[in-house]
Amino acid sequence: MQDQTFSRLAFCVTLASWVAISCAPAESDSNNDGGGGATATGSVSSASGSGVATSSGSASGSGVATSSGTTVAGTGGDNSGGSGGVDPTGSGGAGMGGWPEGAIPMGNAPVPSAGCGKATTLTTKEYTISSSGQNRVYYVDMPSNYDMNKPYRLFYTSHWIGSRWQDVEGQDFYFLKPQMEADGEQAIFVAPSSDGATWQEKDHALFDDIMAFMNENVCYDTTRVFATGFSFGGMITYSLSTNHQAEIRAAVGIAPANYNIWLPEKTHKPIAWMHMTGMSDGTCPWVNNEAQKRGAKFIALEKAEDNGCTIPDEIPTSNGAYSCYDFQDCDPEHPTRVCTFGGGHTNIDGNPNWIPIESWKFFKQF
């Protein structure tokens, strides 16, 4: 699989010439629409040859596929399903069953989207959707031999700065697709393109609009929607995770930052979370500003607190081979994990690349 992985990397080599825009711009830019962002520079292991920054990882999501408005989770009596939630500005979402919000048990039975049992016209290709008064493009990768009665996992995969959905598709969706196929699994992958180089406030509405469309038109498990992205893609993944916990079951950020990206008012509701950061990353560092709680370290601490975990005096980190720390005593439904390694701003580390391997292990537990 490694040969296949690195053969796809040629698709992203042009990123090495991208002018670096730091995750740490002037303070006044820290919460603007898009602002600066993570660069696509970085390095790979010596086995891969030249330095290429790629995307890897994945995240999961659960619950209701929303429309453009705010969706209230469905109600119901048992975990086989319930009534759809009511969206004051759009269509109702799929019911999540009788579980309390955010407390879907591990290994739960699938909850099918409204599109299950219906023939679909969607195939693997680019689509256009109207969102926030604009026509936006996104790519859908459908399982081979798609079964309209099977609720598939759905991955929402966001690209890094200055790239497009083609770059994510060119990497087999952060190398998750071959990981899944090796396990005999298939999923629906969605890869949107930003309006410009960076993700912005309106991309929250884009997520809602795409998911509302997918809910009606394909069969997926509403309790297993996952989100992931690298660099600025990891940053929009983090941004979505702060107020879309009812829609996203779990998320994985690759080299994310918690600043220089538009952030909504955070709900601080729990969500399963994992991210990876190189301890030599100068673009989206582990700590950018201790006093202002900027940096990947503070994403980990925020998610651990939201998920009811015990906060250690110091998060164990590694400046050598990668090491993952699982926070202790978290809500059983919301595992919280952070992986660190002695590398820079990249999502390729080692041969084989451990980042998609660990990402898929994180997702498939749900």
Side-chain angles (χ1 to χ4, degrees), residues 136-137 159-160 162-164 192-199 203 206:
R136 301 289 300 274
V137 299
H159 63 72
W160 56 99
S163 57
R164 314 299 291 165
S193 286
S194 63
D195 176 31
T198 60
W199 298 105
D203 295 309
L206 178 64

Side-chain angles (χ1 to χ4, degrees), residues 35 50 55 59 101 140 152 160 184 194 206 208 216 233 351 354 362:
S50 60
S55 299
E101 184 178 0
V140 175
Y152 293 90
W160 56 99
S194 63
L206 178 64
D208 294 339
E216 295 295 328
N351 186 6
W354 60 268
F362 186 75

Side-chain angles (χ1 to χ4, degrees), residues 323-343:
S323 177
C324 296
Y325 174 73
D326 295 293
F327 285 87
Q328 301 299 300
D329 307 315
C330 305
D331 302 337
E333 306 87 0
H334 304 115
T336 310
R337 172 177 251 222
V338 61
C339 300
T340 55
F341 61 100

